[in-house]
């Protein structure tokens, strides 16, 4: 996992925690509306320019993952610029990772690894660090962590609720 690094909490804990808090709020909103509990925000400088939860179910758009939705909102506002940082509650899937690279994102900060929430939350076995190695432009992945387990609990509850409905 050459491209993944752990956040140095001595450097900017309050900023990263605040921005991840925006992602968690968006994930909780998505969960309340029956959508997958993932949240993301686009940060430029010190400002959150867009935030979104997953909108795939509500909008009947399978590509409306939280990361893609946040990037779309940032672009629509005219505030998306190369060098942005994308914060997200979950390790990004292939589509979200590539969308971020195309948008010029320089860093993705995520709270939970796929191993934290299980493969049922993902559609492929590709992990973000391996995919980032294949990109033609650098994209740094930073593991933030989920110290209170809020995100893992949201995803686990969502997946178990959906499994019960499928049976």
């Amino acid at each position: 996992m050459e491209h993944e690094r752990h956040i140095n909490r001595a450097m900017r804990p309050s900023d990263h925690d605040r921005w991840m808090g925006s992602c968690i709020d968006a994930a909780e909103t998505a969960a309340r509306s029956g959508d997958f509990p993932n949240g993301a925000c686009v940060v430029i400088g010190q400002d959150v320019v867009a935030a979104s939860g997953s909108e795939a179910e509500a909008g009947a758009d399978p590509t409306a993952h939280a990361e893609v939705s946040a990037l779309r909102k940032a672009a629509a506002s005219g505030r998306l610029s190369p060098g942005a940082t994308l914060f997200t509650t979950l390790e990004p899937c292939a589509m979200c990772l590539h969308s971020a690279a195309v948008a010029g994102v320089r860093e993705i900060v995520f709270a939970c690894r796929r191993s934290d929430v299980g493969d049922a939350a993902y559609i492929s076995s590709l992990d973000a660090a391996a995919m980032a190695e294949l990109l033609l432009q650098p994209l740094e992945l930073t593991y933030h962590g989920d110290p209170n387990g809020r995100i893992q609990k949201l995803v686990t509850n969502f997946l178990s609720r959906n499994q019960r409905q499928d049976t």
Side-chain angles (χ1 to χ4, degrees):
M1 291 202 192
E2 187 176 308
H3 285 288
E4 183 181 309
R5 69 178 176 89
H6 292 271
I7 186 171
N8 180 346
R9 293 209 175 269
M11 289 173 57
R12 318 174 287 217
S14 60
D15 288 341
H16 277 231
D17 291 343
R18 179 170 44 97
W19 296 323
M20 194 56 72
S22 294
C23 297
I24 293 170
D25 290 346
E28 289 172 338
T29 299
R32 281 192 299 277
S33 70
D35 224 312
F36 188 81
N38 188 21
C41 69
V42 178
V43 175
I44 297 176
Q46 297 292 308
D47 299 320
V48 172
V49 298
S52 183
S54 176
E55 300 174 337
E57 294 295 322
D61 178 358
T63 68
H65 292 194
E67 299 89 342
V68 172
S69 294
L71 290 167
R72 286 175 180 161
K73 288 177 181 181
S77 75
R79 298 184 67 196
L80 182 61
S81 61
T85 301
L86 179 64
F87 282 77
T88 181
T89 54
L90 298 174
E91 180 178 352
C93 71
M95 177 185 68
C96 295
L97 185 93
H98 283 89
S99 296
V102 168
V105 168
R106 68 168 170 75
E107 180 181 20
I108 298 175
V109 179
F110 63 97
C112 284
R113 290 189 178 100
R114 61 185 302 136
S115 60
D116 296 336
V117 296
D119 285 336
Y122 292 85
I123 196 162
S124 75
S125 62
L126 299 171
D127 90 345
M131 290 183 290
E133 300 258 345
L134 301 173
L135 294 172
L136 299 176
Q137 62 192 46
L139 179 60
E140 188 170 359
L141 296 173
T142 301
Y143 175 66
H144 178 277
D146 182 19
N148 298 325
R150 281 175 69 190
I151 301 160
Q152 184 178 8
K153 185 183 235 181
L154 275 171
V155 172
T156 302
N157 288 343
F158 177 85
L159 293 174
S160 65
R161 188 172 54 248
N162 282 4
Q163 285 174 342
R164 285 193 304 269
Q165 290 174 356
D166 290 344
T167 57

